[in-house]
Amino acid sequence: MDLELTEAQRGARDVARRFAREKLGPIGVEADRSHRYPAEAIDELARLGMLGIFLPEQYGGAGLDHVAYSLVLEELAVECASTAVIMSAHCSLASWPILGLGTAKQKSHFLPKMATGSWLGCFALTEPQAGSDAAGQKTRAVLDGDSYVINGTKNFITNAPQSKVAIVFAMTQPDKGHHGISAFAVETDTPGWAVTRVEDKMGIHGAHSAQLSFLDMRVPRENLLLEEGQGFKVAMKTLDGGRIGIASQALGIARASLEASLKYAQERLTFGKPIAQYQAIQWKLADMAVEIDAARLLTHRAATLKDRGEACTKESAMAKLFAAETAMKSATEAVQIHGGYGYTKEFKVERFFRDAKITEIYEGTSEIQRLVIAASVLESR
């Protein structure tokens, strides 16, 4: 693995950093307090070409790689984790399965609109009684002529209220377990699609997660991804990339926690000197710095493997697990370093604390990541 960034990767990172520092910071604060979708930030990302960052130029994308994508997400998450996950869900979970697994017709129909941001995307797998257990889902798709008729409910779907396209999973052969799941690219103006509830969450307030209801939703057969019964394969391959996106978001939250802690520790005086001069604080800062660098290396390794077309299931799980737990630990230490002020909304670290937690849960909990990693290392023995 070459640790030196290419000129294109540095350029994408620098553009994202400039946008984040100059414009996104205040948007992130306001979106968190008002629970408002940061439409102006997403529009600017579209203008900058970030919503099609790894899509080929033939579809209107920027034609960059997943390392550049990771760098951009990290920079965005430093200032607004909500904006980062909106982009991550759109790119990793909605655009990539069409790019990587779709037909030529599906690619030409969906990707140009998704690359420009005129169509935002989401990924509808989780259900009220089926999270980690995808085979436990109840949504059904029944073939009727040239269409599938879909009925069911999905839960916690990021971007759902704003999306124009969704990757929807449903059982076509319920008696076959995960071999009976199929995946569809669905336009959200299809009759029968409904957003039934937007969640009131602990954090990530600007990225709206919603419950969906499908009532006799008729989806053309040509919108099926791969073949009938291949939906679990679609989900797993998609989540390999999705976990790189969440690891990058977690990195940004962790880095923001460290940067805020460094600033505060050098300004806050106790017993006549900055708290940064106390070993107890220095050790916290040192641990945060080491773990953030380690998480970044894991994440960029997974991204590099994905760009090479190599298997990265174990590596993306490792990156997501370590980066998410680093984000939570760094945010916790940031609140502790800030003391009582860290528990108030006057300082951003309380938001980092709330935003960090979800990175240990969505796109596969930390427990699921450990199962994925364990299965891989045991298989290699």
Side-chain angles (χ1 to χ4, degrees):
M1 176 179 170
D2 186 358
L3 299 179
E4 185 67 27
L5 299 179
T6 66
E7 183 177 348
Q9 290 164 350
R10 288 196 302 272
R13 178 201 61 193
D14 293 346
V15 168
R17 181 176 295 173
R18 185 162 54 250
F19 164 64
R21 290 179 175 176
E22 294 177 359
K23 299 180 181 179
L24 187 56
I27 294 172
V29 172
E30 194 275 328
D32 177 69
R33 290 179 176 172
S34 66
H35 294 220
R36 181 183 65 82
Y37 176 76
E40 68 273 41
I42 304 306
D43 288 346
E44 181 67 8
L45 287 178
R47 189 187 69 78
L48 293 171
M50 298 300 184
L51 297 186
I53 187 167
F54 57 68
L55 294 180
E57 293 180 2
Q58 71 183 93
Y59 300 117
L64 299 178
D65 58 19
H66 278 77
V67 174
Y69 171 58
S70 175
L71 290 164
V72 167
L73 286 177
E74 178 184 339
E75 294 299 330
L76 298 179
V78 169
E79 297 294 344
C80 179
S82 292
T83 297
V85 79
I86 291 167
M87 177 175 164
S88 179
H90 170 77
C91 293
S92 292
L93 301 185
S95 299
W96 185 86
I98 297 173
L99 173 67
L101 305 171
T103 65
K105 185 175 182 180
Q106 289 167 349
K107 293 175 187 179
S108 63
H109 177 70
F110 289 102
L111 294 182
K113 302 178 185 70
M114 299 177 81
T116 61
S118 60
W119 280 15
L120 194 72
C122 66
F123 181 85
L125 175 63
T126 298
E127 297 188 3
Q129 302 300 323
S132 300
D133 178 18
Q137 65 178 286
K138 304 300 183 185
T139 298
R140 298 287 184 262
V142 178
L143 185 61
D144 179 27
D146 291 333
S147 299
Y148 284 90
V149 179
I150 301 179
N151 287 277
T153 302
K154 298 294 179 179
N155 229 28
F156 306 136
I157 309 305
T158 301
N159 290 353
Q162 293 82 25
S163 289
K164 299 296 185 183
V165 58
I167 307 302
V168 174
F169 296 83
M171 283 290 189
T172 47
Q173 295 175 292
D175 59 325
K176 291 190 175 182
H178 68 266
H179 293 294
I181 303 171
S182 297
F184 305 85
V186 178
E187 295 179 37
T188 64
D189 61 358
T190 303
W193 167 286
V195 175
T196 51
R197 184 180 71 236
V198 177
E199 303 294 344
D200 187 7
K201 303 174 296 185
M202 177 191 296
I204 314 290
H205 289 158
H208 294 167
S209 301
Q211 184 177 88
L212 299 174
S213 175
F214 310 135
L215 180 61
D216 294 334
M217 183 173 69
R218 188 171 287 272
V219 177
R221 187 174 187 172
E222 64 185 16
N223 287 30
L224 178 69
L225 289 170
L226 295 183
E227 298 175 359
E228 189 172 294
Q230 294 289 300
F232 188 76
K233 179 180 178 180
V234 173
M236 295 303 101
K237 284 185 170 293
T238 300
L239 287 171
D240 283 348
R243 287 164 182 166
I244 294 169
I246 298 306
S248 305
Q249 179 203 23
L251 263 173
I253 298 170
R255 201 181 100 203
S257 299
L258 175 59
E259 291 176 0
S261 297
L262 287 167
K263 182 176 185 295
Y264 185 81
Q266 292 174 82
E267 295 174 350
R268 173 64 168 163
L269 302 179
T270 62
F271 305 104
K273 61 181 181 180
I275 63 172
Q277 294 184 20
Y278 294 101
Q279 189 179 69
I281 302 299
Q282 291 174 353
W283 283 14
K284 292 180 186 294
L285 297 172
D287 286 346
M288 292 161 73
V290 170
E291 289 163 6
I292 290 167
D293 267 13
R296 185 178 293 109
L297 288 169
L298 284 169
T299 303
H300 289 187
R301 179 184 68 166
T304 298
L305 289 173
K306 185 164 183 63
D307 286 327
R308 290 176 181 169
E310 298 180 28
C312 63
T313 298
K314 179 186 71 174
E315 290 80 7
S316 64
M318 285 180 167
K320 199 269 189 184
L321 170 66
F322 193 79
E325 295 194 346
T326 294
M328 194 68 242
K329 182 178 177 182
S330 297
T332 300
E333 293 288 39
V335 171
Q336 194 71 17
I337 289 169
H338 283 69
Y341 290 111
Y343 203 67
T344 71
K345 292 186 181 293
E346 181 181 353
F347 288 82
K348 292 181 181 180
V349 292
E350 69 84 29
R351 170 161 62 101
F352 303 155
F353 184 89
R354 290 184 287 105
D355 287 351
K357 185 59 195 174
I358 191 60
T359 66
E360 296 183 308
I361 298 172
Y362 56 18
E363 295 192 37
T365 64
S366 290
E367 290 77 13
I368 289 295
Q369 304 313 312
R370 286 183 166 89
L371 289 175
V372 171
I373 295 162
S376 180
V377 298
L378 285 167
E379 184 180 335
S380 68
R381 296 295 292 176

